[in-house]
Amino acid sequence: MARKNKYHIDHSVFDLMGRKALLKCSYILGVETTRLIKGGIRSELPNATIRKGIRRCLGQGTFPSRIERLFYFVEEWQPSKLDDPDSEDVDPTEKVKTLIENIKKNFNRLSNLQKLEILTDWIEKPQEDCCYEDLDAIAETLGFSYEEIDEEYTFVLPSPELLAKTISSMKDGEFYHSVIALAGMSLPKEEFSDPPSFSNAAYNFLEELAEYFTFIPDNYTIV
């Protein structure tokens, strides 16, 4: 005979939880919290969808250790005005599109030379845990290349005008998987939130990147 689960969780409590608490429950259970939208961009799932995922996971059964951890989290959780379950007014898909548009707008206010210098610096100085195959693919998409000159490979930059033209012609998904992805590979992790990934829509990172471009002075140059 199967042993009865001693950790009973009242499913109605999830209706009282706001996003922060729901994300914690999802993390404990391993429930998806993001989805792919047009262009391969990741968007957060709405709260109602996350609640359904949590209940479905509990109904289908999961590891006892996860049930125990969730039980104690729910036992200690208290409602807070800062985590209002009814505060979700913005569609997550529209929110991530708006964040990307803000980044593009702030990036495009830079001069063509500034764009080239910033992206070149990112390509040449990525974080240590960067995937160099992905980095090279992004660099190639943006018009950077390597040429063999006198038996040595030399990093060749596109012209500022060509780079600006390439980026201005990009759709949101292409910009997301090139400029934004490159920022995630190169910007210091101690100063920025985690960048977009399979399990992270990274709204905080997108907001920080838009702000980063906003505060670059008009006369700023790296060299």
Side-chain angles (χ1 to χ4, degrees):
M1 177 182 292
R3 186 173 57 183
K4 185 177 181 180
N5 186 359
K6 65 178 181 179
Y7 299 107
H8 174 71
I9 298 173
D10 182 1
H11 289 205
S12 66
V13 72
F14 303 123
D15 292 326
L16 304 176
M17 289 182 173
R19 188 160 196 91
K20 185 177 180 181
L22 289 173
L23 291 177
K24 178 64 176 180
C25 294
S26 300
Y27 174 76
I28 292 172
L29 294 175
V31 174
E32 286 288 334
T33 60
T34 65
R35 66 181 171 199
L36 282 173
I37 61 176
K38 186 176 181 181
I41 299 168
R42 295 212 76 86
S43 166
E44 291 180 347
L45 290 171
N47 288 353
T49 305
I50 293 177
R51 289 188 183 99
K52 289 180 181 177
I54 292 171
R55 290 189 173 105
R56 182 170 56 250
C57 182
L58 290 173
Q60 293 173 345
T62 185
F63 296 103
S65 60
R66 293 183 176 182
I67 298 292
E68 180 179 356
R69 288 173 59 201
L70 182 63
F71 172 81
Y72 285 115
F73 173 75
V74 171
E75 282 284 291
E76 296 175 2
W77 174 80
Q78 294 292 330
S80 168
K81 292 181 180 179
L82 299 177
D83 197 22
D84 184 356
D86 299 321
S87 64
E88 187 182 282
D89 297 324
V90 180
D91 175 36
T93 300
E94 292 303 317
K95 181 175 180 179
V96 73
K97 289 180 179 179
T98 299
L99 289 172
I100 293 171
E101 286 300 323
N102 288 340
I103 295 172
K104 291 175 70 175
K105 179 183 69 176
N106 293 341
F107 181 76
N108 286 332
R109 58 167 281 274
L110 304 176
S111 70
N112 291 347
L113 180 58
Q114 285 177 314
K115 294 173 186 175
L116 177 63
E117 288 189 337
I118 288 169
L119 297 183
T120 300
D121 188 61
W122 286 355
I123 292 170
E124 293 186 321
K125 301 174 184 177
Q127 294 291 305
E128 291 183 358
D129 59 352
C130 164
C131 174
Y132 284 89
E133 289 184 3
D134 293 342
L135 179 71
D136 289 344
I138 291 172
E140 184 177 358
T141 297
L142 293 169
F144 295 84
S145 62
Y146 285 93
E147 290 186 7
E148 187 175 2
I149 301 176
D150 296 331
E151 299 184 352
E152 292 187 0
Y153 284 98
T154 302
F155 187 46
V156 180
L157 314 184
S159 69
E161 293 73 25
L162 178 59
L163 176 66
K165 183 178 180 181
T166 298
I167 293 174
S168 66
S169 66
M170 287 180 169
K171 297 179 180 178
D172 283 355
E174 295 169 323
F175 184 83
Y176 178 88
H177 291 294
S178 57
V179 175
I180 294 176
L182 184 59
M185 295 178 182
S186 305
L187 291 173
K189 297 184 182 302
E190 62 273 14
E191 298 178 18
F192 289 82
S193 299
D194 292 337
S197 66
F198 181 78
S199 60
N200 182 22
Y203 289 174
N204 288 340
F205 178 86
L206 299 180
E207 291 173 349
E208 292 162 2
L209 184 57
E211 185 177 9
Y212 171 84
F213 288 134
T214 299
F215 289 103
I216 292 178
D218 292 340
N219 60 349
Y220 169 84
T221 56
I222 292 176
V223 294

